[in-house]
Amino acid sequence: MELRAVTGDITKLQVDAIVNAANTSLLGGAGVDGAIHRAAGPGLMAECKTLNGCPTGEARITGGAAQLASCYRSCLTLALENGCRTVAFPSISTGVYHYPLMQAAHVALKAITDFLRLHPQLSVTMVCHSPQTLHAYQVVLNMLYQETKPHED
Ligand code: APR
């Protein structure tokens, strides 16, 4: 099991799946969605048009590639079902949607950690696009790690 937070551009990661933060139409937006569509080319939009959207809290998979906790779990379930072992997430909902960063980090990392306990073959990277985002995810990662560490008397 591996869970880490790094800074960078999610479109540049060598992983089996990258997760987008799209709206329910799946038909393109700004932020990380714009970056992924620019990197993927027009084929991704063509495939998204066939999906008929995605309700909040659920996930859809495309060849190229909340209910916030459920959204992370849905992504990881889909990744597993599709044979992906290494998955990169952006900080979903903390850009255009303005979900409070520390709370989003906590929801995301708790959901991912719980999932990875059951599926330790997965390796997850949180790709943080700004120093503030990376800081928030590192603080919460450390906190969760302290909570789960066995007590030393
Ligand atoms: N790699 C990693 N992270 C990125 C990248 C990138 N290339 N580009 C942007 N980000 C970061 C943002 O800085 C932010 O921390 O992704 C995080 C999520 O921000 P948004 O993309 O704005 O996503 P979200 O807050 O979930 O809002 C979704 O935005 O583009 C629209 O259609 C989309 O309506 C939906 C909304």
Side-chain angles (χ1 to χ4, degrees), residues 8-10 21-23 29-33 35 91-97 127 129:
D9 178 352
I10 199 168
N23 59 27
V32 70
D33 188 52
S91 173
I92 295 173
S93 282
T94 64
V96 172
Y97 283 173
V127 185
H129 207 52

Side-chain angles (χ1 to χ4, degrees), residues 40-61:
L44 178 58
M45 180 58 78
E47 198 172 347
C48 287
K49 283 184 179 154
T50 69
L51 295 175
N52 296 318
C54 174
T56 303
E58 294 187 16
R60 297 289 182 270
I61 194 161

